[in-house]
Amino acid sequence: MQAQKSKQISLKGSTAIVTDFFKFAINSILFQRGVYPADDFRVVKKYGQTVMLTEDAALVNYLDKILKQVNEWLLKGDVTQLVLVLLSKDSRTPLERWVFDIEVLRSDEDQVPLDDSKPDADIQKEIRHIIKQIVASVTFLPLVYEPMVFNILVYTKDSAEVPGKEWLDTDPMAIEASMSQQVKLRSFSTDYHRIGTMVDYRYES
């Protein structure tokens, strides 16, 4: 008897995996960094482990709206980077920038040989490692004693169709180089996308 191969994913399937990852990664960061109260989150099972997911209705709607548009851009290969910026609530000083680089490996027209198709189990394992690194980030990121807010920046190609009323050009909210420390986290890939992860944080000695 031969073992069955895992089902080959499509561009649409890869896009769904990436969008889902952004949802859980953002939720994990907001929880771990205390941007929202711990009571606003519930425990769910994802990627073979427990992760935190917000129950704050306004936040759920906001993230759903953003990720719906990100999903559309991903399908067209128009998005290159997503950045979650954590800022001081009072001064609006950027404290952390969680950067997700998006690389398109092939278009929908490019056929993936079945033998070269990446198993879903391998993709899930890679994502699981990233989520674990996010959870472990409290061991190296500076303690933040002030209230924080967040913003999500999405970088697209010049040719991308951008809904004018909902998306605006904005400041990159960068951290000054003299006060910046960077930690590169793991990456994951599907047959169509590769996602690199890095956190850039303010460090004042």
Side-chain angles (χ1 to χ4, degrees):
M1 240 179 120
Q2 288 186 329
Q4 274 192 320
K5 287 184 180 271
S6 58
K7 188 178 178 182
Q8 196 171 11
I9 68 166
S10 60
L11 173 61
K12 188 175 181 180
S14 176
T15 298
I17 290 171
V18 173
T19 305
D20 220 26
F21 163 72
F22 287 148
K23 173 183 173 179
F24 285 96
I26 290 169
N27 270 271
S28 294
I29 294 164
L30 296 179
F31 173 79
Q32 294 297 331
R33 303 308 290 148
V35 181
Y36 284 79
D39 289 346
D40 285 357
F41 294 81
R42 62 188 171 93
V43 177
V44 297
K45 192 83 170 178
K46 187 73 175 177
Y47 309 121
Q49 64 184 16
T50 56
V51 293
M52 308 305 293
L53 202 59
T54 183
E55 292 187 304
D56 182 292
L59 179 55
V60 169
N61 290 335
Y62 176 72
L63 292 178
D64 283 351
K65 188 175 182 180
I66 286 178
L67 292 177
K68 181 181 178 182
Q69 181 60 60
V70 169
N71 188 81
E72 291 182 17
W73 280 327
L74 279 168
L75 279 171
K76 297 175 181 177
D78 284 340
V79 60
T80 59
Q81 192 178 79
L82 183 146
V83 183
L84 172 65
V85 187
L86 305 187
L87 311 102
S88 163
K89 183 177 181 180
D90 295 329
S91 67
R92 286 303 194 267
T93 301
L95 302 176
E96 296 174 12
R97 297 178 86 254
W98 292 80
V99 180
F100 302 95
D101 287 315
I102 302 160
E103 180 185 355
V104 177
L105 301 179
R106 55 169 52 86
S107 69
D108 200 21
E109 287 77 29
D110 296 330
Q111 291 296 316
V112 183
L114 189 57
D115 289 341
D116 293 339
S117 183
K118 188 167 186 175
D120 183 65
D122 290 353
I123 299 170
Q124 299 295 312
K125 183 179 179 181
E126 290 177 352
I127 294 176
R128 184 162 60 248
H129 285 313
I130 299 174
I131 298 296
K132 285 182 177 179
Q133 285 186 310
I134 291 172
V135 172
S137 66
V138 294
T139 62
F140 64 82
L141 290 174
L143 291 172
V144 179
Y145 297 101
E146 59 183 308
M148 289 187 287
V149 293
F150 77 95
N151 204 340
I152 294 177
L153 312 179
V154 181
Y155 292 82
T156 62
K157 293 180 179 177
D158 292 339
S159 58
E161 294 182 16
V162 181
K165 293 182 180 179
E166 299 171 5
W167 294 82
L168 302 171
D169 287 338
T170 186
D171 182 287
M173 303 180 189
I175 300 171
E176 303 95 304
S178 61
M179 296 182 177
S180 171
Q181 295 281 341
Q182 297 182 353
V183 176
K184 187 176 177 62
L185 306 181
R186 293 196 184 214
S187 63
F188 83 91
S189 64
T190 68
D191 291 336
Y192 292 89
H193 301 99
R194 179 179 290 114
I195 309 299
T197 313
M198 183 268 288
V199 58
D200 179 16
Y201 62 92
R202 179 175 295 274
Y203 180 78
E204 300 181 31
S205 56

